[in-house]
Amino acid sequence: MKKYEFNEITLLQFICINLGIQVSVGALSLPQRLALKASTDGWMAIILMWAITIAASWIIIQIMKKYPDGTLPDLLSRYLGKWVGKAVALAAALYFLYYAYVVIVSTILYTKQWLLPRTPGEIIMLLFLIPAYAIASKGLRVIGRYAEVVILLSGWMLVIYMESFRDAYWLHLRPFFKEGWYPVIAALPEASLSFIGFASLFILYPFLQNKQQAFIGITVSSTLSMLVYLFTTIICFVYFSPDQIMQYNDPVVTILKVIKFRFVDRIEVLFISFYLFMFSLSWITTIYFSVFCTSWALGKQDHRGHLRILLFGAVAGTYFFMPTEQQKNQLEDLLMQIGIGFEYAFPVCLLIYLWLHERVLGRIKR
């Protein structure tokens, strides 16, 4: 019997979970971040970062194939011993917890700015975490079903941007490579912030029903994320001038202010309200990953006790400290740096080690 058979997920759920994690932190501010580094050539960095992400995902899958019925801590316990496995499990728990914290802080700030300006941050945090507990406490299969529903209900959000093409000025994109390749390469770290999250493969892989489809699943989810980023970024680049776009922290939302429909007055408010569900996919899943890792490290089968402690601590912490917009940007910058290390550099080093380990062990056996 498989260790994680009870919580197995389908390929569609796998795709929706990964898509929900990626299309969250940094998505609304991505055009401005890219414009600051590469002007209107920043959209090219999205395509390059997509290719790098696909390659990094392939590496993670090759690692997980070494022990297909276990997560990353299970694999490292087998190759390096249980204490290394526990140490990596705790490190991964901290990473996923920090990821969830950055996303939920961003969500609270968006909620206060656009929806509930007079509501204290700790109250909004509590309102978010009550349904988060109800979903995360039920396990990965329920999270997968929730992800399917959210992705299905969010498809209309991209359609409303078609209205802005009437006032688009496509010459903003010309000429290509205004200052050569260097600005595009310099913008890659900014684009990476919107792609990190595929390290979920370290946890999700053994839960996937058909593991041979893992690379197809992560390729589809990353490609969909890339198309969403490319679509919104190009719309912002052709609507705002190259100088104007740098003045808006969240141009993906700001552009909605000029879109008018007869049946709704402020479409940006409706957009943010629905986008809260997309944000929730990211923090609910990564919170689950975090408590899954801590429970694994401490040998606990039930993760709900850790989940209660974590959520209570998050609400209590928000009461004493709520980051400002500037501090949120600093948190995102730190997440970008940690994410590059954990999701891009670490898998390469681990794969090299496992390859050398098998070669050396094979020679000893001969």
Side-chain angles (χ1 to χ4, degrees), residues 51-73:
I52 295 172
T53 299
I54 294 297
S57 302
W58 180 85
I59 290 174
I60 294 178
I61 290 173
Q62 300 312 304
I63 293 172
M64 300 309 296
K65 284 181 179 179
K66 306 290 184 182
Y67 189 40
D69 293 328
T71 60
L72 177 65

Side-chain angles (χ1 to χ4, degrees), residues 15-29:
I15 292 172
C16 291
I17 289 174
N18 282 290
L19 179 61
I21 293 175
Q22 287 183 321
V23 186
S24 58
V25 60
L28 302 184
S29 60

Side-chain angles (χ1 to χ4, degrees), residues 273-336:
S273 300
F274 270 85
Y275 209 83
L276 294 181
F277 290 101
M278 293 296 296
F279 277 127
S280 71
L281 273 183
S282 186
W283 80 65
I284 290 174
T285 308
T286 48
I287 284 175
Y288 173 80
F289 289 161
S290 180
V291 296
F292 175 89
C293 289
T294 56
S295 300
W296 186 97
L298 298 178
K300 303 289 186 180
Q301 295 293 328
D302 190 353
H303 66 280
R304 288 176 294 182
H306 290 197
L307 182 61
R308 295 187 194 102
I309 294 173
L310 189 154
L311 299 185
F312 177 79
V315 175
T318 306
Y319 177 79
F320 294 102
F321 173 71
M322 181 63 209
T324 62
E325 184 69 29
Q326 182 178 3
Q327 290 170 332
K328 186 263 292 185
N329 293 334
Q330 294 173 350
L331 292 174
E332 289 182 349
D333 291 339
L334 180 59
L335 176 63
M336 176 182 66

